[in-house]
Amino acid sequence: MNIYSFEVLDSTNDYMKEHRKEFEEFDIVMAKNQRAGKGRRGNIWISTEGMALFTFLVKKRGDKAEEAYMKLPLLAGLAVIRALQRRKKIHYQLKWTNDIYLQEKKLAGILVERRENDFFIGIGINVNNAIPIEIKNIAISLQEVCQEKIEIESLILSIVEECRKLLEEYFAGNWKNILQEINAINYLQGKKIGLRAGNLFVQGIVQRIDENGELEILSKEGLRSFGMGEVVKERILVKLEKNLEILAKIYILKEANYDVIAYTEEVWEPFWEQKLEKLQVKIERNFGKEELKEKYQAKTLEEYPNLFPLEYYDEKNIKEVAKIFA
């Protein structure tokens, strides 16, 4: 296990993928800053100095089925929590499939990517960093809770070592016990959620993570399991206007896991189209508000005068967030 440290990279995942022939299993690439960090579905990932930003390599075992590797995000998440628990026993929780939560706020995110038989497990953890204003109501750092500065490289090494040991447990046939441990810290269990999987949108109460690593939801159609999808809150319709503050509000809602559908009947110049691309949000151009409310079973932003987390943002704060799109 070797660790390669950089001051700044576009993305630790991308760097390791581009140079994958140079790395052994469980080698680590870490960076103090990322210029083009990303989350699942290509979402913007804001990175600030003081975070643990790293990627490590896991190689496919020749005798293991493809399906076995579908659980890598869950295993990586549990490895992070095990390592954190060894440092300070706090109630960390795993949000299916790839986030770590603490005190109802996001502490860490995981992105697993693949090239041929190589899996790249990218992890970003809020460690010693100050949380940016645009996500301070939905994110948290370890330093904020522990009231002490944490040595990042040793934390990263302990996480990767935990993952190495956990994979040995898993491939030795201990998934049943591992799954019990995961469900004991299942952030979504018992919560009413919405799940977007492609064009499908399901609402219901989360029961557990099942034997296949899928999320089990009890909806009005009955008990269903999902192997992939985005957990969201309400569906919100937002009318697009040519001002950065509207884009900032959409961004804040997305970070808080609202399912945002933006709509407009205007023609947008390339200058604005480039800014819309940053949002990674569904944009409807051919329907009016009432049609979209019916189509998506959604409410408009105007129907929520005090919508979390926007209720915490005054005009000055919104302008600060809008700088992302300037």
Side-chain angles (χ1 to χ4, degrees), residues 10 31 62 66 104 113-114 128 168 203 224 229 251 254:
D10 285 343
E66 293 285 326
E104 294 294 321
E113 297 183 294
R114 180 179 184 177
N128 300 319
E168 292 301 319
Q203 286 185 308
R224 306 175 70 179
Y251 175 78
K254 278 198 64 195

Side-chain angles (χ1 to χ4, degrees), residues 115 148 164 193-195 204 215 244 252 263 288:
R115 279 196 181 172
E148 61 180 353
R164 186 193 66 77
I193 66 160
L195 185 86
L215 193 66
L244 298 182
I252 291 166
Y263 69 99

Side-chain angles (χ1 to χ4, degrees), residues 93-244:
Q93 292 181 288
L94 179 60
K95 180 186 173 190
W96 181 92
T97 59
N98 67 323
D99 291 329
I100 310 299
Y101 270 60
L102 177 61
Q103 297 180 5
E104 294 294 321
K105 296 181 180 182
K106 184 172 175 177
L107 176 70
I110 298 163
L111 175 66
V112 178
E113 297 183 294
R114 180 179 184 177
R115 279 196 181 172
E116 297 177 353
N117 290 327
D118 293 336
F119 295 89
F120 306 91
I121 302 179
I123 300 177
I125 308 172
N126 295 320
V127 182
N128 300 319
N129 52 305
I131 301 299
I133 188 171
E134 58 266 27
I135 54 173
K136 66 179 180 179
N137 295 303
I138 52 177
I140 196 168
S141 71
L142 285 175
Q143 188 178 44
E144 183 181 336
V145 176
C146 300
Q147 295 295 301
E148 61 180 353
K149 192 170 183 179
I150 294 162
E151 209 286 308
I152 290 175
E153 186 169 322
S154 67
L155 174 62
I156 290 173
L157 287 167
S158 67
I159 289 169
V160 178
E161 177 59 20
E162 283 292 343
C163 195
R164 186 193 66 77
K165 292 190 291 187
L166 187 55
L167 285 171
E168 292 301 319
E169 288 180 49
Y170 174 59
F171 288 124
N174 201 30
W175 171 240
K176 183 178 179 180
N177 290 334
I178 292 170
L179 182 59
Q180 287 179 345
E181 189 176 349
I182 288 171
N183 271 312
I185 52 173
N186 182 356
Y187 174 77
L188 294 175
Q189 193 157 3
K191 285 184 168 64
K192 183 178 180 180
I193 66 160
L195 185 86
R196 182 173 61 193
N199 292 324
L200 181 66
F201 183 75
V202 177
Q203 286 185 308
I205 298 173
V206 174
Q207 304 300 296
R208 62 173 187 142
I209 296 168
D210 70 13
E211 292 77 10
N212 298 314
E214 297 184 345
L215 193 66
E216 198 173 81
I217 299 174
L218 182 61
S219 69
K220 62 182 181 181
E221 289 84 18
L223 196 62
R224 306 175 70 179
S225 293
F226 296 87
M228 61 182 65
E230 180 184 3
V231 176
V232 296
K233 294 182 181 177
E234 300 274 358
R235 279 186 160 177
I236 307 293
L237 278 177
V238 180
K239 184 177 181 180
L240 283 172
E241 298 172 6
K242 292 178 182 178
N243 67 70
L244 298 182

